[in-house]
Amino acid sequence: MARLLPGTRALRTLEAAARHLNFTRAADELGLTPAAVSHQIKEIEDQLGIVLFTRTSRTIRLTEAGTVLFEASLDALDLLNRAVSRAQKMTRGLALLKITLDPQFATKWLMRRVDDFRKHQPGIELRFDITYEVRDFDRDDVDIGIRFGTGKYPGIVSHRLFDNIIIPVCSPALLTSGPPLREPRDLFRHTLAHIVWARQGVTWPNWRMWMAAAGIDDFDDSRTIVFGSSSDAVQAALDGNAVALADFAMVANDLSEGRLVRPFELGLKVAAEFAYFLVYPAASANDARIIAFKDWILGEVHNPQADPTRRTWDEL
């Protein structure tokens, strides 16, 4: 019977084709041609003597037998992915700690401080998985992460790092070369940038919300620039092209080092249930590497001497 089972590559093709119900989209995901996907599906069908898909000129649909094998493929591939992740963690040694985090947190906060961790913990080698994708500790080869969210994840220990306070920032050059910024209404004469983000009924502060908090109820936001990520909005401010709404924690160093300024002090807090959290599996809570990194990063977050911008931050 074992000789009749499709290999892992064939199972991945079956899973993608069944999930998309479209050979072209499955091919794009797998890095194959639609003809190659069709050929592999036909090979599986011939090998097993089972029809997996019914085809028309425009659509494909799973047969009952195809549905059974699709669901089994999902389980099998998930089990294999989890096993591979565990095996990788077992074989790469106890001195290596892999951290997953988003690009903005990496560049604007962690990388500025990580040499201090290496100085205090020379026996632990750090490697970074920098991505906006949320990793699965069971399936992906990572040990610990920094996530923006609610901190409530099954089987995961979470430590709140800091709140998110959204403030206006711009380049110092903009204050000297552009229209003056003496009161909030002066912002109408500038390009304004922000991001759009909403989750679980919570909206990331935008310029309409900031203007309302400043007592301005006739703001027209049709000329604002909307970015997909905070780092792009901040870059527009650094380049002198816009006044951007930014997370204070992510621009604190740019402010303290003079690359950005705050034209107005008003800041808006993101809903209290959302913040940056340090997260790791509960099963790894006694891992000496994780304990060392947790103690270090919490110390950095809460120690004003370790982070001079913390004083300003706490005053917001």
Side-chain angles (χ1 to χ4, degrees):
M1 286 294 295
R3 289 195 300 272
L4 293 176
L5 295 178
T8 304
R9 181 181 178 187
L11 289 179
R12 291 188 184 281
T13 302
L14 169 60
E15 186 275 333
R19 177 161 37 86
H20 290 291
L21 290 178
N22 184 292
F23 286 176
T24 299
R25 288 199 290 270
D28 289 342
E29 179 180 308
L30 298 169
L32 301 172
T33 65
V37 170
S38 180
H39 179 72
Q40 287 190 29
I41 295 298
K42 185 65 167 60
E43 281 191 336
I44 299 171
E45 291 178 326
D46 291 344
Q47 180 183 0
L48 301 178
I50 295 172
V51 176
L52 301 175
F53 295 90
T54 57
R55 302 162 176 83
T56 68
S57 60
R58 294 186 177 181
T59 63
I60 63 171
R61 295 194 335 184
L62 280 168
T63 63
E64 283 190 64
T67 300
V68 170
L69 284 180
F70 168 53
E71 293 174 351
S73 296
L74 287 173
D75 292 340
L77 291 171
D78 182 65
L79 182 62
L80 283 171
N81 284 331
R82 293 175 188 274
V84 168
S85 175
R86 289 197 300 273
Q88 288 174 329
K89 292 175 184 177
M90 290 169 61
T91 57
R92 60 177 162 80
L94 297 177
L96 179 62
L97 183 69
K98 294 192 74 171
I99 305 166
T100 181
L101 68 165
D102 69 55
Q104 178 172 265
F105 195 98
T107 58
K108 292 295 186 180
W109 201 90
L110 186 62
M111 295 308 173
R112 296 172 178 269
R113 298 164 172 82
V114 76
D115 282 346
D116 182 74
F117 176 83
R118 291 185 171 122
K119 181 176 67 176
H120 288 90
Q121 297 289 341
I124 299 177
E125 179 186 354
L126 299 181
R127 290 190 185 172
F128 301 99
D129 171 62
I130 300 176
T131 177
Y132 283 114
E133 293 184 19
V134 176
R135 299 304 194 193
D136 184 327
F137 289 116
D138 289 334
R139 298 185 59 181
D140 299 311
D141 185 24
V142 293
D143 301 300
I144 193 168
I146 297 168
R147 290 181 184 170
F148 180 80
T150 64
K152 298 177 182 178
Y153 314 109
I156 300 296
V157 177
S158 299
H159 299 277
R160 192 184 190 96
L161 296 182
F162 38 69
D163 297 328
N164 300 86
I165 301 171
I166 310 307
I167 61 170
V169 296
C170 66
S171 165
L174 193 69
L175 293 182
T176 58
S177 62
L181 286 172
R182 300 187 183 93
E183 59 180 47
R185 281 190 177 276
D186 292 336
L187 288 165
F188 288 16
R189 301 169 64 192
H190 287 265
T191 300
L192 305 180
H194 64 92
I195 66 168
V196 171
W197 181 94
R199 189 177 300 170
Q200 299 179 21
V202 172
T203 300
W204 192 267
N206 54 40
W207 275 111
R208 180 175 289 279
M209 296 165 65
W210 190 91
M211 292 291 181
I216 298 172
D217 56 10
D218 59 344
F219 174 64
D220 178 9
D221 61 2
S222 62
R223 294 182 59 196
T224 59
I225 298 177
V226 178
F227 286 96
S229 71
S230 296
S231 58
D232 290 335
V234 171
Q235 190 60 51
L238 287 166
D239 292 341
N241 297 324
V243 182
L245 287 178
D247 184 347
F248 178 81
M250 297 299 106
V251 296
N253 285 98
D254 292 314
L255 291 168
S256 66
E257 295 168 9
R259 288 183 294 276
L260 291 174
V261 294
R262 296 175 63 182
F264 302 103
E265 291 298 311
L266 176 63
L268 300 181
K269 286 188 176 182
V270 177
E273 59 266 35
F274 284 90
Y276 275 107
F277 288 87
L278 181 72
V279 294
Y280 51 86
S284 302
N286 294 322
D287 187 316
R289 300 165 303 162
I290 287 178
I291 292 172
F293 188 80
K294 175 198 70 175
D295 290 346
W296 171 79
I297 197 170
L298 292 179
E300 286 290 303
V301 166
H302 298 296
N303 183 1
Q305 293 181 342
D307 181 0
T309 64
R310 181 75 198 182
R311 294 187 181 90
T312 308
W313 188 355
D314 287 335
E315 292 167 2
L316 286 172

